[in-house]
């Protein structure tokens, strides 16, 4: 287990003393020998740490859902893995207290786009002429993301692809807490299927541009907002919401 995972598991149970926190770093496979520099690296990679005198905690454990900033993300890529492809578009919107507060979108320069990807996304090589390179876009996106909760429809793909891309270009990794809207919607929305297009139709989300990153991120954000309206009263904090999304409970929505 990576020491970062061990650290998160410990922090999910409650605050650690600074001494306990630093001991995990000292005994882990850290990037820096200095615990002070390693702390800064964890923060820059999105781990939502809060330092209070001699204690360290996860912000998400105590942050109410309405006070949390969520970053809803979608990407388009040339292949399913970083080893064989790259990101060609990133779209993201930030939500706080039920409102969209910021957005980010960018095409990404690429040498080649498979014809199948062109057919699905509508993104052609000509559209990428003059687009920023992948390193620039990843740097911009990481700054935009900060330590927000990373939200996506099928989180395992978007989160891992971006994290692997960051590592490939020596830009760190992703340590943000994350949440999947497929998992969350299965708990809160009665539907036959939970694909993005199907949920858009069921919830009357009328947005053009399916399989374009910003449009899909915005659609996911609207699905996420619909889910938040249905969250049970005992789901209060950001970490409660993450835990609830991964639980075995089905359709335990708020009853009005």
């Amino acid at each position: 287990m990576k020491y970062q995972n061990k650290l998160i598991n410990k922090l999910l149970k409650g605050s650690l003393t600074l001494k306990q926190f630093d001991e995990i770093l000292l005994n882990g496979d850290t990037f820096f020998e200095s615990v002070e520099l390693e702390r800064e690296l964890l923060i820059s990679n999105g781990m939502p740490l809060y330092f209070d005198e001699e204690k360290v905690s996860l912000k998400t454990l105590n942050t109410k859902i309405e006070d949390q900033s969520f970053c809803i993300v979608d990407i388009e890529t040339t292949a399913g893995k970083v080893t064989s492809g790259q990101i060609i578009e990133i779209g993201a919107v930030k939500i706080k207290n039920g409102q969209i507060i910021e957005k980010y979108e960018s095409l990404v320069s690429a040498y080649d786009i498979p014809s199948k990807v062109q057919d699905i996304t509508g993104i052609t090589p000509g559209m990428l002429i003059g687009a920023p390179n992948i390193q620039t876009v990843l740097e911009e996106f990481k700054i935009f993301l900060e330590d927000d909760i990373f939200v996506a429809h099928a989180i395992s793909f978007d989160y891992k692809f971006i994290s692997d891309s960051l590592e490939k270009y020596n830009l760190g990794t992703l340590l943000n807490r994350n949440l999947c809207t497929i998992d969350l919607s299965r708990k809160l929305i009665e539907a036959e299927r939970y694909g993005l297009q199907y949920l858009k139709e069921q919830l009357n989300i009328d947005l053009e541009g399916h399989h374009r990153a910003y449009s899909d991120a915005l659609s996911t954000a609207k699905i996420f907002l619909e889910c938040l309206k249905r969250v049970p009263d005992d789901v209060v904090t950001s970490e409660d919401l993450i835990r609830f999304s991964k639980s075995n409970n089905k359709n335990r929505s708020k009853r009005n």
Side-chain angles (χ1 to χ4, degrees), residues 5 21 43 57 86 94 100 127 145 159-160:
N5 294 332
F21 182 89
I43 292 168
S57 60
Q86 70 154 80
K94 286 196 176 192
I100 294 174
M127 292 169 64
L145 177 62
Y159 190 92
K160 179 172 173 50

Side-chain angles (χ1 to χ4, degrees), residues 72-104:
I72 291 80
V73 185
D74 189 81
I75 58 175
E76 303 301 336
T77 66
T78 58
K81 295 182 180 180
V82 170
T83 52
S84 54
Q86 70 154 80
I87 296 167
I88 53 174
E89 188 175 37
I90 295 182
V93 295
K94 286 196 176 192
I95 285 177
K96 189 173 183 179
N97 196 22
Q99 301 293 323
I100 294 174
I101 57 172
E102 287 185 81
K103 72 172 186 177
Y104 177 84

Side-chain angles (χ1 to χ4, degrees), residues 53-66:
E53 295 181 354
E54 293 300 311
K55 288 191 175 183
V56 187
S57 60
L58 282 179
K59 295 177 185 177
T60 48
L61 270 179
N62 299 305
T63 302
K64 292 182 178 180
I65 294 171
E66 59 266 29

Side-chain angles (χ1 to χ4, degrees), residues 16-30:
L16 296 175
T17 66
L18 193 56
K19 181 179 179 181
Q20 290 171 325
F21 182 89
D22 286 348
E23 281 178 353
I24 294 174
L25 269 59
L26 288 167
N27 293 321
D29 183 19
T30 56

Side-chain angles (χ1 to χ4, degrees), residues 27 71 82 178 229-230:
N27 293 321
C71 189
V82 170
N178 59 80
K229 295 175 184 178
R230 297 165 165 80

Side-chain angles (χ1 to χ4, degrees), residues 1 46 53 62 87 110 133 171 204 211 255:
M1 178 186 289
E53 295 181 354
N62 299 305
I87 296 167
N133 63 37
L171 295 171
N204 296 313
H211 286 306
R255 304 299 179 187

Side-chain angles (χ1 to χ4, degrees), residues 17 26 33 43 55 59 63 73-74 101-102 120 122 124 131 136 139 150 158 181 187 202-203 219-221 229 231 254:
T17 66
L26 288 167
E33 292 184 7
I43 292 168
K55 288 191 175 183
K59 295 177 185 177
T63 302
V73 185
D74 189 81
I101 57 172
E102 287 185 81
I120 292 171
T124 64
T136 298
E139 287 173 350
F150 186 114
D158 300 84
T181 46
K187 308 296 182 298
Q202 175 145 331
L203 297 171
S219 295
T220 302
K229 295 175 184 178
V231 168
K254 183 186 295 183

